[in-house]
Amino acid sequence: MFLSAAEAGAIADHLARIESRVGVQIVPAVVGKSDTYVELPWKAFALGASMAAFATVVADAWRPDWITAGTALLHAVLILAVGGASALLAVFVLTFARLFLRATRRDLEVRHHAQSLFLTRELFRTRQRLGVLVLVSLFERRIEILPDTGFHDRVSEAEWNAVIARMTPLLRQGRPFHALQEALTALEALLDAKGFRTVRSSGARLDDEPIEERGV
């Protein structure tokens, strides 16, 4: 879907090596979109209509002799047409749509999607609760790392964020595979430095294949 067969295979091989070395199960996931964001086309419509209205006012002030009996109708059609075009552009052009997405809403929706994915895929069933979800949300260009309870008091939030910081430039370049590769390399070094090692204990073993979803 978002990764080629070769890329998914390379990630799975790297995950197997990490688990055999540090005993931690990392679950990478790539989703197209973490929310529908139904308000974005409406915001684009409002912007387009407002700009068109402003342009018509300026044009009328500049050339008042243009005003005729049909001017009001022409203005209304023009404003609605520009607003509608802007809304359609927000639906089909993701780069344009992102301009209307507030950072706080973006971050909240990506985190909620990560939490939902963690529960629905039952990623909490790992040995010693040592599972960690690495979610890459493509539309938002946002990364969320969601560790299970086994990492509490052993890995700080700042250390998880440092991994995200290494991934973010690659994701912004439209390279989710390389972003995930960078994450796995960084996480392996971090967990090894924290003293995580493979131990025998009860718990489910998760699939090494990365999760790919179109999202909502």
Side-chain angles (χ1 to χ4, degrees):
M1 187 181 300
F2 302 114
L3 303 173
S4 68
E7 290 172 341
I11 289 175
D13 291 343
H14 198 167
L15 289 171
R17 292 197 302 271
I18 292 174
E19 184 181 355
S20 66
R21 181 180 178 186
V22 299
V24 169
Q25 296 190 60
I26 302 170
V27 181
V30 183
V31 300
K33 207 174 187 181
S34 290
D35 191 72
T36 54
Y37 302 111
V38 294
E39 76 277 12
L40 299 188
W42 287 106
K43 288 183 176 182
F45 177 88
L47 177 64
S50 299
M51 292 178 65
F54 177 75
T56 57
V57 170
V58 172
D60 287 347
W62 180 47
R63 290 294 300 271
D65 54 302
W66 286 355
I67 300 176
T68 66
T71 300
L73 177 61
L74 177 62
H75 287 178
V77 171
L78 177 63
I79 291 169
L80 291 175
V82 173
S86 295
L88 287 175
L89 198 62
V91 171
F92 295 107
V93 181
L94 300 184
T95 303
F96 183 68
R98 271 193 292 266
L99 297 175
F100 303 94
L101 181 60
R102 290 184 296 112
T104 51
R105 175 152 162 71
R106 175 201 66 196
D107 296 350
L108 180 64
E109 294 302 336
V110 173
R111 183 161 187 82
H112 283 174
H113 195 82
Q115 292 169 339
S116 174
L117 191 61
F118 197 97
L119 293 175
T120 56
R121 295 293 183 122
E122 298 185 350
L123 304 186
F124 49 80
R125 298 184 299 110
T126 58
R127 296 185 293 267
Q128 298 183 335
R129 301 293 296 270
L130 291 178
V132 55
L133 173 67
V134 180
L135 175 70
V136 173
S137 196
L138 297 178
F139 171 72
E140 296 85 352
R141 292 181 176 176
R142 180 74 180 170
I143 300 158
E144 187 74 30
I145 295 182
L146 195 61
D148 208 341
T149 57
F151 295 98
H152 291 180
D153 301 324
R154 299 186 68 179
V155 182
S156 69
E157 184 176 355
E159 288 167 321
W160 296 122
N161 288 337
V163 176
I164 293 175
R166 292 177 57 171
M167 300 172 64
T168 300
L170 295 169
L171 180 58
R172 288 177 177 169
Q173 296 169 15
R175 302 162 62 193
F177 167 66
H178 296 92
L180 289 175
Q181 277 190 319
E182 185 66 27
L184 297 183
T185 300
L187 287 172
E188 183 176 13
L190 171 63
L191 298 173
D192 182 57
K194 291 290 181 176
F196 286 90
R197 296 292 183 270
T198 300
V199 295
R200 291 184 176 275
S201 60
S202 60
R205 184 184 183 283
L206 303 176
D207 194 345
D208 288 330
E209 293 294 325
I211 298 171
E212 296 183 72
E213 294 183 350
R214 294 193 181 278
V216 295

